[in-house]
Amino acid sequence: MNLSERVFRVWEFRVSHDQLLIRSARTAQHPQNLDVIFAGVDYLELPTKLGEIEITSPMVDDLRKVQAAFREGVTERDVHVIVSGGRRFVVVAAKMTVVKNDLDIFESSLESF
């Protein structure tokens, strides 16, 4: 999933529900927020400012890296790879979704997820 022409940031992490929100806030060119939401987050390795992103499937090297850094039993279906600036970052989560919304900058889409 290519999410180019948007700038993304880590927006919120809810420890109590293991949820992560990565948002591209609305701008004059993009009148809606674009939110990438992860649920059941067990592990994440990414910077807070990402720029343009692409979400892709893990390669063998991604899986090995996560298994070495986090847990050997991690499977491919739980590893989500975010590519930004030519670098690969991982989020281990049970679920991921992408949504557009009109929420205010201080409102969270995690509340309705």
Side-chain angles (χ1 to χ4, degrees):
M1 176 181 305
N2 189 338
L3 303 173
S4 62
E5 300 181 14
R6 304 281 305 238
V7 175
F8 287 83
R9 295 188 67 157
V10 172
W11 206 259
E12 180 178 7
F13 182 76
R14 291 202 175 167
V15 175
S16 60
H17 290 86
D18 295 325
Q19 295 176 322
L20 171 66
L21 170 59
I22 298 174
R23 175 174 282 174
S24 175
R26 60 185 172 191
T27 63
Q29 298 94 344
H30 303 285
Q32 290 186 300
N33 298 318
L34 188 56
D35 290 353
V36 181
I37 302 169
F38 295 91
V41 176
D42 284 328
Y43 177 85
L44 55 98
E45 180 182 288
L46 68 161
T48 59
K49 297 177 184 175
L50 291 158
E52 293 184 5
I53 66 172
E54 177 184 352
I55 301 171
T56 188
S57 300
M59 297 189 315
V60 173
D61 287 345
D62 299 316
L63 285 174
R64 286 185 186 140
K65 182 178 176 182
V66 170
Q67 290 168 345
F70 173 59
R71 184 177 66 225
E72 286 187 26
V74 175
T75 63
E76 182 178 344
R77 70 178 169 83
D78 292 333
V79 178
H80 308 273
V81 177
I82 298 171
V83 180
S84 177
R87 298 191 62 206
R88 298 174 70 84
F89 305 100
V90 295
V91 176
V92 177
K95 185 177 177 185
M96 183 209 67
T97 190
V98 178
V99 296
K100 287 184 177 182
N101 61 62
D102 297 313
L103 297 173
D104 184 72
I105 194 167
F106 297 110
E107 292 180 290
S108 174
S109 57
L110 295 181
E111 295 169 1
S112 61
F113 184 64

